[in-house]
Amino acid sequence: MGPEGKRLLNIVILGFGFMLMFTAFQTCSNIEQTVIKSFNNTEFHGSGYTSMAIIYGVFSASNLIAPSVVTVIGPQLSMFFSGLLYSGYIAMFIYPYTWSFYTASVLVGIGAAVLWTAQGNVLAINSTDDTIGRNSGIFWALLQFSLFFGNLYIYLAWHGHVHITDKDRQTVFISLTVISLVGCFLFFLIRKPDPEVAPADVTESLLQAESTESSSTVSSPRPSVSSQALDAFVKACKMFVTKEMLLLSICIGYTGLELTFYSGVYGTCIGAMTQFGHDAKSLIGISGICIGIGEILGGVVFGMLNKSSRCGRNPVVLLGLITHYVAFYLIFINITSDAPLAPEAGTDLQAYIPPSVGVALLCSFLLGLGDSCFNTQLLSIIGFTFRDNSAPAFAVFKFIQSIMAALAFFYSNYLLLHWQLLILVLVGFLGTVTFFMAEWMAEIRRRESDYDSI
């Protein structure tokens, strides 16, 4: 197998590992608020929204140290140990306690920062300027298959259930824990890319730690672990205030807000709609499948077919915004405003139109499609602009995204649906405008690079 084939295989293995892990975790986050409402244990007082706010809050803070961790232990071990923390969080729901629930939330927040920083580094060092769009799309499509498989299982397991029993919950979360652990071990199949096709500055490649050590001379000793960690932290801080990252920050923040909405809030809204009949709980699974189909379609069309290299990234991002606006309007008229805050018995309020399951599932698809438009293009532009400093760049990306997701999970405990939708509309518009500006700067850089190579 040639060097390019090895790098592509690494991307595929990375995608399958994340697919299995997030089949478990995204399914867990999609149903946890509904599951918590059904607990028979009166001593448990946790909130799914609060847990996710803690996860993303800790996630955002931990991104400041994540590049240092990945630099010291390498991306493979970083992803493996982070995956174990994800598995522990899922396993906690088998026998839940309030203290373990929130402790696991803190730990998975730390693990998430390290996991996604390592993922961004592996993606960048296995890509070139010509393949970063394709590889981003392949990874994104494989990742989003997790929404399909996990939520299909939830639909089949809970079909016709009005109330989620302890046995139902334990069966589901034992299965999800095993799936997550399998994904963790897949990361050990990833191999270092061949030195001749890696970026010129091999010290930036966190997978090249061993080759760096062997090639270092006596007169130039290898930097200590502490100095490597400090250097990675300083690079992340400096990158945060670059012009390109500041422009992208609003768009990145928007993906954090809508991540919260489609992965937690919208499923809870569907489950609370008594007008959808007795199968409203199982519709949460179908909704997740529709989101996954939209995510996969977007990853295939705009990533694997590499449309961004021919038409630019701006049309894809604009399509994502329009898709989301259509979804937000339909949700506004189809779902009652109190649905995010309704008790387990659901809501009896009336929406602006007679609630339709078909419209609700169409909105799920549109949410997924629009999200893939934004995320594939953000992965592409960050991988292109900061390829020589990929780990700090993706750490900053996840720092911004996760802190906004934490904010959204926090206000989801209090705001009615229409206020949440209004926030998404405003931030989405501003994020799209600033992305256009960042893409314009990236295009100038690409042209200058092409001119210098003549």
Side-chain angles (χ1 to χ4, degrees), residues 85-414:
L85 295 178
Y86 273 80
S87 301
Y89 178 82
I90 297 165
M92 181 277 311
F93 282 93
I94 300 172
Y95 294 103
Y97 297 94
T98 305
W99 68 268
S100 63
F101 181 45
Y102 288 127
T103 300
S105 300
V106 173
L107 293 176
V108 82
I110 297 171
V114 177
L115 177 76
W116 284 102
T117 300
Q119 175 271 333
N121 177 247
V122 173
L123 177 65
I125 65 176
N126 284 280
S127 303
T128 65
D129 291 349
D130 295 329
T131 63
I132 184 66
R134 181 202 65 187
N135 290 348
S136 298
I138 291 173
F139 171 78
W140 191 256
L142 288 172
L143 171 63
Q144 298 309 325
F145 267 107
S146 62
L147 287 169
F148 180 83
F149 294 119
N151 287 289
L152 178 61
Y153 173 60
I154 292 300
Y155 174 75
L156 296 175
W158 290 357
H159 182 65
H161 290 213
V162 178
H163 177 76
I164 308 304
T165 66
D166 289 344
K167 183 179 179 180
D168 293 332
R169 183 191 74 247
Q170 290 168 357
T171 300
V172 165
F173 283 99
I174 288 173
S175 301
L176 295 179
T177 301
V178 172
I179 293 170
S180 178
L181 288 172
V182 173
C184 293
F185 285 94
L186 276 183
F187 295 135
F188 288 115
L189 298 179
I190 297 175
R191 293 292 178 261
K192 293 185 297 184
D194 293 339
E196 65 268 17
V197 295
D201 185 3
V202 295
T203 60
E204 293 299 333
S205 170
L206 299 181
L207 284 178
Q208 301 284 350
E210 294 180 4
S211 62
T212 302
E213 181 177 11
S214 63
S215 63
S216 60
T217 62
V218 176
S219 60
S220 301
R222 184 186 178 192
S224 66
V225 169
S226 59
S227 64
Q228 285 182 319
L230 179 61
D231 182 59
F233 175 77
V234 171
K235 284 183 178 180
C237 293
K238 289 181 178 179
M239 194 162 294
F240 184 79
V241 295
T242 60
K243 184 182 299 183
E244 294 87 351
M245 190 61 74
L246 288 174
L247 285 173
L248 291 171
S249 62
I250 299 178
C251 188
I252 295 171
Y254 172 69
T255 64
L257 297 180
E258 52 102 5
L259 167 67
T260 294
F261 187 78
Y262 81 76
S263 67
V265 176
Y266 189 56
T268 302
C269 291
I270 290 178
M273 293 293 290
T274 57
Q275 298 90 336
F276 290 159
H278 295 301
D279 278 346
K281 296 290 187 295
S282 63
L283 284 176
I284 298 175
I286 296 296
S287 171
I289 292 172
C290 292
I291 292 172
I293 292 173
E295 296 274 14
I296 294 165
L297 178 63
V300 169
V301 174
F302 305 121
M304 291 177 65
L305 297 182
N306 208 12
K307 292 287 186 180
S308 63
S309 67
R310 294 193 295 268
C311 304
R313 302 178 182 93
N314 286 347
V316 180
V317 171
L318 180 60
L319 175 63
L321 181 69
I322 295 172
T323 302
H324 274 172
Y325 275 10
V326 173
F328 296 156
Y329 174 73
L330 293 176
I331 292 170
F332 176 73
I333 63 176
N334 191 55
I335 304 292
T336 59
S337 61
D338 68 332
L341 309 178
E344 187 194 5
T347 175
D348 293 321
L349 294 182
Q350 296 299 314
Y352 289 98
I353 63 173
S356 167
V357 173
V359 171
L361 297 182
L362 172 63
C363 291
S364 300
F365 169 78
L366 294 176
L367 288 173
L369 179 62
D371 182 68
S372 69
C373 290
F374 279 99
N375 277 282
T376 55
Q377 303 315 300
L378 281 169
L379 287 173
S380 177
I381 193 172
I382 291 174
F384 169 76
T385 305
F386 303 104
R387 186 160 63 90
D388 292 336
N389 293 285
S390 58
F394 281 101
V396 173
F397 169 47
K398 284 298 175 180
F399 170 79
I400 299 169
Q401 187 180 64
S402 56
I403 200 170
M404 295 303 290
L407 175 63
F409 273 113
F410 175 77
Y411 68 59
S412 295
N413 280 303
Y414 307 102

Side-chain angles (χ1 to χ4, degrees), residues 16-31:
F16 272 107
F18 271 72
M19 181 187 73
L20 291 174
M21 277 185 54
F22 283 87
T23 289
F25 182 74
Q26 291 199 73
T27 303
C28 172
S29 64
N30 197 25
I31 65 176

